[in-house]
Each structure stands twice: as structure tokens, then as C-alpha cells.
Amino acid sequence: HIVTRSNSSNDSTSYNTLDRDWDNFSYDNNIPVFNSGGNTGTGTGNVQSPGKGLNIITVGNYNDATDAISGSSPFVDPQIGNDKPEISAPGTNITAGGFTKSGTSMSTPHAAAFAADMMSHSTYLQYRPQSVKAKIMAGATDSISGGYNKVGLGGIDFASAQWSGHWFWWSGGTSAFNTFDGQDGAADNYIVKQVYIANTWERVRVVLSWLTRGSYTYDHRNDAHPIGLDLDLKVYDPNGHYLGGSFSWDNPFEDVDFTPTVSGYYTFKIHRYATRDSSLKLRMGMYVNYYNP
């Protein structure tokens, strides 16, 4: 149900055939793939292939003794413009099997093991890599110093991701978004969901994630926006006040953080900005994580 890889290549920003093939593997087989980004942070800084992939969860390396990202952890985004890495995990001075080593080859299996544990407990995650990605990113709430470009959304936290939150997933053919769009009573290019959240929680993070076809991205890698499906995310409080949104145009995920000042049903609106890949099937997941830092 899960793949973790610690070998990398292609020290450039190019999205190449290795990235394409692993993106297609995750999309075609519905299996999440965790990949080390390499250890080029003190050199070129380039995230290495296939960690450049849109469907691939690329993991940065931080020192859990200092809660600081390692200088060797890569951070330069690929030519296709997606943010890398997505998350960070402990990977500095890791002792196992009588050896002590550092690098993203230590942090990546750490994150994959978290996902495997969550998958064992919450079987709905099996064969839904989009939901695995949404959940582990929504739960990456440990504050790690070093900057968003190196850290991603934060350090992984099993308790934060696993025990408090609400999830949704959608799947179907190329026209499935239209079907789900109409289920809320208005065919307006928005999928709408509501979640009750008490204001006793200090913070909420919601992450929307979806899969893309590597073949489309590879064929369009020199386009301004080579992603096949571009979605946006908006959040409203129980009184209808707009709290924030996420509108990236090169990522297969959107994320919003907010403070729930009132108790009630919060509204999450998924907007389809553009469908460029006419052959893309819908593989989409969302996780709403409420937590106390």
C-alpha cells in the first residue's frame, strides 16, 4: 500500500522521465510514494528526481534535537513550479542497526512509517494516496525553523494528524467533478463541505490534495502551468465570514490555516479553476485537522 524511496538523481530543476514514471505509478496504482529529495542543500539546493513529481511526497530533513532544518536538505523547486519539499521529518543523527547517519534517506522512511501506521488504523487511506498526502500534510504541525522553502508545511506529527480531524475523498472519471459539484444543490464549479469545529481548538489546518498524470505534465513541462488540474480552496466561518484561501497554480495541493474563534459549522469550498488535462480522472482528498500547538 505504500512505497518509500531513498535514491535520487538528476541534479537539476528539470522534470524528467523518472519523475513522470513515478507520478504515473502513483496515479495508475493508487499508491502513495515518499521520496528523499537528496542532500544538495549545501550545493545546488535542487530537489532530485523523482522527488520533483507532483504526486510524490518529498521529505525534508530536520534535526529533532534543535527543531531546525538541516543545511543539506534540498529546497529548490522544479521547473514545473511545484513547492518542494511538502513536509519535513527527523533525519539528522539517526541511529539504526549500529550506524548513525544523517540525510533525507533517514527522514523519508520516518515519514512513510507514519503514513503506514495511519493507514493501518484508518483503512480508508488504502489505495487513496491523495488522502494520505492530505492527512500527513495537515498534521505536519511541528514548527521547524529554516523557512517554508526548506521545511514545507512543517514537521510531521503523528498525534496531530491521526487523532483529531475530519476527512473527505472524491474519485471518478474525467467528468466526476461536475457530478460532485451538483450534489450541493448548485452547479457552480464549487464542491462544498461543512465541518463542525469547536472554538476550544486553537488552530485548524485544512489540506486539499489531488493526483495528476505524469504523462501530461511531462508533455507540457515547458508550459507556464503544466499541471493538468488546478483547484483552489476557500474557508468560511459559521457566520459566513471569509477566513482565507489557497490559490497556488502549480501545486496539486492547497492548504489553509486559521483560528476557530466561534463554534459551529465551517464551510470549505473547492473551486475548479482549470482542467487542462482532458483525460485526467478525479482522485481528490481533503483533511481538516483541528489541533492545539
Side-chain angles (χ1 to χ4, degrees):
H1 296 301
I2 196 167
V3 170
T4 178
R5 303 182 75 260
S6 290
N7 57 314
S8 303
S9 64
N10 178 25
D11 188 13
S12 72
T13 61
S14 64
Y15 180 94
N16 67 10
T17 55
L18 186 60
D19 303 291
R20 177 200 65 192
D21 292 348
W22 277 99
D23 268 347
N24 282 339
F25 172 85
S26 183
Y27 173 84
D28 292 337
N29 296 284
N30 289 310
I31 294 178
V33 178
F34 290 77
N35 201 88
S36 61
N39 301 299
T40 55
T42 54
T44 63
N46 293 325
V47 171
Q48 298 193 316
S49 298
K52 299 179 178 72
L54 290 166
N55 297 334
I56 308 306
I57 304 168
T58 303
V59 186
N61 157 32
Y62 78 85
N63 187 337
D64 62 339
T66 61
D67 286 340
I69 199 74
S70 169
S72 66
S73 193
F75 58 92
V76 176
D77 296 334
Q79 72 177 113
I80 55 175
N82 51 327
D83 292 331
K84 290 288 179 174
E86 288 88 352
I87 55 174
S88 299
T92 301
N93 297 326
I94 302 300
T95 299
F99 298 91
T100 299
K101 293 183 176 295
S102 299
T104 55
S105 291
M106 281 78 246
S107 60
T108 301
H110 191 143
F114 268 38
D117 281 348
M118 291 191 295
M119 203 178 292
S120 296
H121 181 273
S122 304
T123 55
Y124 79 90
L125 292 170
Q126 296 175 9
Y127 298 113
R128 293 188 176 94
Q130 65 274 24
S131 296
V132 171
K133 188 174 183 179
K135 189 168 187 179
I136 201 166
M137 290 180 71
T141 54
D142 285 354
S143 180
I144 308 301
S145 63
Y148 175 84
N149 63 329
K150 281 196 172 186
V151 172
L153 291 194
I156 57 172
D157 187 311
F158 182 86
S160 177
Q162 180 62 19
W163 304 120
S164 302
H166 202 92
W167 55 88
F168 303 92
W169 65 83
W170 300 264
S171 61
T174 55
S175 62
F177 192 97
N178 295 333
T179 302
F180 295 117
D181 172 20
Q183 290 179 348
D184 57 18
D188 53 3
N189 221 21
Y190 283 87
I191 294 175
V192 180
K193 291 295 181 182
Q194 291 187 316
V195 174
Y196 182 88
I197 302 173
N199 64 358
T200 52
W201 294 100
E202 295 179 20
R203 293 292 291 171
V204 176
R205 176 184 291 171
V206 54
V207 174
L208 174 73
S209 172
W210 62 97
L211 299 185
T212 66
R213 290 196 313 129
S215 295
Y216 178 90
T217 302
Y218 183 78
D219 290 344
H220 295 82
R221 62 192 182 279
N222 294 316
D223 292 1
H225 305 296
I227 192 169
L229 177 63
D230 186 358
L231 302 175
D232 295 327
L233 179 63
K234 299 178 181 180
V235 181
Y236 298 83
D237 75 4
N239 298 314
H241 299 139
Y242 175 69
L243 294 180
S246 181
F247 311 97
S248 67
W249 47 80
D250 294 317
N251 289 321
F253 65 87
E254 303 290 352
D255 61 280
V256 179
D257 286 77
F258 63 93
T259 300
T261 56
V262 297
S263 298
Y265 283 93
Y266 286 75
T267 300
F268 303 89
K269 291 187 175 183
I270 303 167
H271 178 234
R272 179 174 53 181
Y273 181 82
T275 300
R276 303 182 182 96
D277 182 359
S278 59
S279 298
L280 182 68
K281 296 178 180 179
L282 186 66
R283 302 284 187 271
M284 185 170 68
M286 185 172 74
Y287 193 77
V288 183
N289 178 30
Y290 26 95
Y291 63 100
N292 295 320

